[in-house]
Amino acid sequence: MFGFDIFVIVLVGLVILTIALGVRTVPQGYAYTVERFGRYSRSLGPGLGLIVPYVESIGHKVNMMEQVLDVPSQEAITKDNAGVKIDAVAFFQVLDAPRASYEVSDLSQALLTLTMTNIRTVVGSMDLDQLLSHRDEINEKLLRVMDAAASPWGVKVTRIEIKDILPPADLADAMARQMKAEREKRASILEAEGERQAQILRAEGEKQAQILAAEGRKEAAFRDAEGRERLAEAEAKATSLVSEAIAQGDLAAANFLVAEKYVDALKSLAAAPNQKVVVVPIEAAGVVGTLAGLGEITKTVFGEGGSGTAVARQLQASRRGSVPPSGGPGTAAPV
């Protein structure tokens, strides 16, 4: 019995060990390759998987999730012989676990070496200015080349990004000076354009002002001419009325005309700019006496007449620009 018990215990332990060796749990995002006597047989997906103990074994545990490959900084020469340092990062995903396990020895190292080589190739085909300003084009070229090269390994390269491009220090200083000169050039051009536009606007404003001033002078001259014409018409009408009144022996019209001319002469004499003191040799009563004397002379020449008041009123109205109706002397405005 003692030997049989030992056998049973050993047999039970062997069964438990066999079951443990035949059950495999695959985590999510991974795939296990199964090898039978060292040869690939099949792949186990996420979850519980079974293999034949002592005959099959797990070959590779392949990460099926998207992974990041950090490409270290490296030197590269551009098409115009400028040395630059480039940092990049690549994203890839294993789509076929068997090929990623058995078609390449070290997948990460292979992808890293392939990325660095292709970065040098792409950089060498571009000028420095194009390299600095066309990163999207560089990323696209690298992605296309890398995806085609990694496809036989069952790997999909999803993205490649250039993190940084560093030119030499002296070249960076020259580029900074060039950029500063270019910006100063643009500023000078914009300033000149602004000054030109301002001068054009000022010239347009002066032109418009001159046109408006000329139109104003034209309108003023027209108004002045019209005023002189009306004044001349009034003077002619007044002269005609006085001539008719004198011819008819109207003393009041003659007195009015003489008095008006006399007062205008005194006014002009007093308003002369070269006169500081005006000495009037006669008094106001003397002016009236002079007018009365002139009236007496007119009476002597023409005799007495009764129509002088009407003619004087018509003369006054003509001076104001309107002639009263001939119905009677009471219709005229007072002098």
Side-chain angles (χ1 to χ4, degrees), residues 116-192:
M116 295 174 66
T117 304
N118 283 281
I119 286 176
R120 292 192 182 97
T121 302
V122 173
V123 170
S125 64
M126 303 176 68
D127 295 333
L128 179 61
D129 293 338
Q130 187 180 6
L131 182 67
L132 295 175
S133 58
H134 294 78
R135 292 196 180 188
D136 293 338
E137 183 178 349
I138 300 173
N139 296 335
E140 182 181 355
K141 287 183 178 181
L142 289 173
L143 179 61
R144 186 170 59 250
V145 174
M146 287 289 298
D147 190 39
S151 180
W153 302 337
V155 176
K156 173 68 176 177
V157 179
T158 58
R159 220 172 9 167
I160 295 181
E161 296 290 340
I162 299 297
K163 293 192 297 184
D164 199 7
I165 300 176
L166 298 176
D170 54 348
L171 188 58
D173 294 339
M175 292 173 62
R177 291 195 302 271
Q178 180 184 1
M179 181 182 65
K180 181 179 179 181
E182 185 67 24
R183 292 186 180 276
E184 290 178 352
K185 174 184 175 183
R186 293 180 183 177
S188 300
I189 293 174
L190 290 177
E191 184 178 358

Side-chain angles (χ1 to χ4, degrees), residues 180-253:
K180 181 179 179 181
E182 185 67 24
R183 292 186 180 276
E184 290 178 352
K185 174 184 175 183
R186 293 180 183 177
S188 300
I189 293 174
L190 290 177
E191 184 178 358
E193 287 291 337
E195 183 64 25
R196 174 176 173 270
Q197 190 67 22
Q199 291 179 358
I200 291 174
L201 292 177
R202 283 195 295 267
E204 289 290 338
E206 293 175 357
K207 175 183 176 183
Q208 191 67 23
Q210 292 176 0
I211 292 174
L212 293 176
E215 291 180 353
R217 291 194 300 270
K218 176 182 176 182
E219 185 67 21
F222 177 76
R223 297 293 183 184
D224 291 342
E226 185 178 2
R228 288 193 301 270
E229 181 181 358
R230 291 183 179 180
L231 182 59
E233 291 178 356
E235 290 289 343
K237 184 177 290 187
T239 303
S240 177
L241 291 174
V242 171
S243 299
E244 292 177 0
I246 294 174
Q248 295 174 4
D250 192 344
L251 297 178

Side-chain angles (χ1 to χ4, degrees), residues 24-27 30-34 42-45 58 60-62:
R24 289 290 185 271
T25 301
V26 182
Y30 283 82
Y32 291 178
T33 60
V34 179
R42 66 184 187 278
S43 298
L44 297 179
I58 301 299
H60 296 83
K61 298 178 180 180
V62 182

Side-chain angles (χ1 to χ4, degrees), residues 30-101:
Y30 283 82
Y32 291 178
T33 60
V34 179
E35 298 177 354
R36 180 174 294 176
F37 296 114
R39 182 179 180 181
Y40 171 74
S41 175
R42 66 184 187 278
S43 298
L44 297 179
L48 185 64
L50 298 176
I51 62 174
V52 178
Y54 312 113
V55 176
E56 296 178 341
S57 62
I58 301 299
H60 296 83
K61 298 178 180 180
V62 182
N63 187 349
M64 305 295 292
M65 295 179 289
E66 188 172 5
Q67 304 176 59
V68 180
L69 182 63
D70 189 12
V71 180
S73 177
Q74 58 178 323
E75 296 283 345
I77 305 298
T78 62
K79 186 178 180 179
D80 52 353
N81 297 324
V84 294
K85 295 181 67 176
I86 298 181
D87 296 334
V89 60
F91 298 84
F92 68 95
Q93 184 177 11
V94 177
L95 302 179
D96 192 340
R99 286 195 294 174
S101 302

Side-chain angles (χ1 to χ4, degrees), residues 263-280:
V263 172
D264 288 342
L266 291 178
K267 185 189 299 184
S268 299
L269 182 62
N274 57 350
Q275 295 293 334
K276 301 301 181 180
V277 179
V278 177
V279 179
V280 181

